[in-house]
Amino acid sequence: MMLRSLSADFLKIRGKGIWLLIILAPLGVVAIEALNFGLRFDYLGKIYADDLWGGLVGETTMFVPISLYLGCTLVSSLIANVEHQLNSWKQLLALPISRTAVFSGKFTLSVLLLFVSCIVLSIGTIILGMSLGFGTHIPWKDLLTMGFFPFLATMPILSLQLWLSLTFQNQTLPVSLGVLISLLSPFLMQLSEWFPLNWPIMALRSEHQFWFIGFGIGVGIIIMLIGLVHFNRKDVD
């Protein structure tokens, strides 16, 4: 039943601008780095002379956690708004499909959309590096790590944002919370590396990066299950 719900959700998001967001958001990060290297190529070229690709990946990495937090917020809100704007929750939940399948389908859709966005970021970075003349010795491992490790460590925020977005018809709270988290995240590095909002960057830089990925996935699943239980019990308007 979850696959039926997921298939229906894919149809519902057509024409809602979500796919445009999924493509443009990572390309925006690539555009920032294109501007960064374009304006400071001589300076950055000297700093990263021994490893230009590594320098590009490192510079891009700085924007990945913020982008992921905003992505989790906007994707969750837009998916939930498909039902909220049409006031279709009663009709949807009256169908012969369980609430668990409905919630799981929307969570899976969110994960898949952000997964595509991570792929676009990696591909865009490759195209940028080759356009800048960095050569064909592409650091595939580093690019894939940059694209996907922080995403896996961001699962708790995605689960929380989807739960809040499906719970509140007015999206002010979840969107405001997501924007606040995004804005504060760069300033929280002074806190412990185990502070949850530091997990995405630690998934890239820490010697124990797989611990942070594992905690991200584990806590994300726990929050998702809590949200699922609440969704199964709540009344709908």
Side-chain angles (χ1 to χ4, degrees):
M1 282 197 298
M2 192 274 284
L3 292 178
R4 288 174 53 195
S5 178
L6 178 60
S7 178
D9 284 331
F10 268 113
L11 293 176
K12 289 177 183 178
I13 66 173
R14 291 175 59 184
K16 300 296 183 181
I18 298 180
W19 282 111
L20 185 62
L21 170 68
I22 291 303
I23 301 299
L24 290 183
L27 291 183
V29 174
V30 174
I32 291 174
E33 286 310 313
L35 183 62
N36 181 28
F37 274 82
L39 294 176
R40 304 194 300 160
F41 188 81
D42 292 339
Y43 173 72
L44 293 174
K46 292 179 181 178
I47 294 178
Y48 302 119
D50 295 333
D51 186 6
L52 291 172
W53 277 107
L56 176 59
V57 172
E59 292 285 327
T60 305
T61 294
M62 297 169 55
F63 296 95
V64 171
I66 300 174
S67 302
L68 282 171
Y69 290 138
L70 286 174
C72 292
T73 300
L74 296 177
V75 166
S76 298
S77 181
L78 289 170
I79 289 175
N81 257 338
V82 173
E83 310 297 346
H84 290 318
Q85 290 179 347
L86 298 176
N87 292 317
S88 59
W89 281 114
K90 283 189 175 181
Q91 296 91 323
L92 173 62
L93 298 178
L95 296 174
I97 184 170
S98 68
R99 291 192 178 206
T100 297
V102 171
F103 189 94
S104 299
K106 295 187 184 300
F107 179 78
T108 303
L109 176 61
S110 302
V111 172
L112 291 176
L113 289 173
L114 290 169
F115 184 84
V116 171
S117 197
C118 291
I119 293 176
V120 173
L121 175 63
S122 297
I123 293 174
T125 304
I126 292 172
I127 294 174
L128 175 59
M130 296 187 71
S131 300
L132 292 172
F134 290 174
T136 56
H137 297 289
I138 301 171
W140 295 102
K141 179 181 178 181
D142 293 341
L143 285 164
L144 293 175
T145 296
M146 176 192 72
F148 296 103
F149 280 17
F151 170 52
L152 295 174
T154 313
M155 283 296 168
I157 300 299
L158 176 59
S159 299
L160 177 63
Q161 284 295 328
L162 183 65
W163 177 15
L164 294 176
S165 296
L166 293 177
T167 299
F168 296 99
Q169 185 168 4
N170 187 330
Q171 295 295 291
T172 301
L173 174 60
V175 171
S176 298
L177 178 61
V179 171
L180 181 62
I181 287 173
S182 303
L183 294 176
L184 290 179
S185 59
F187 305 101
L188 299 177
M189 291 298 295
Q190 299 177 3
L191 301 179
S192 169
E193 63 181 11
W194 290 105
F195 187 70
L197 294 184
N198 288 333
W199 292 356
I201 198 66
M202 288 298 107
L204 288 171
R205 298 180 178 177
S206 174
E207 297 178 357
H208 309 293
Q209 57 188 172
F210 289 105
W211 291 10
F212 295 100
I213 293 171
F215 273 98
I217 295 173
V219 175
I221 291 174
I222 291 172
I223 295 176
M224 189 270 287
L225 292 175
I226 294 172
L228 174 61
V229 171
H230 177 257
F231 184 77
N232 279 333
R233 294 180 177 180
K234 75 183 289 286
D235 295 329
V236 296
D237 298 323

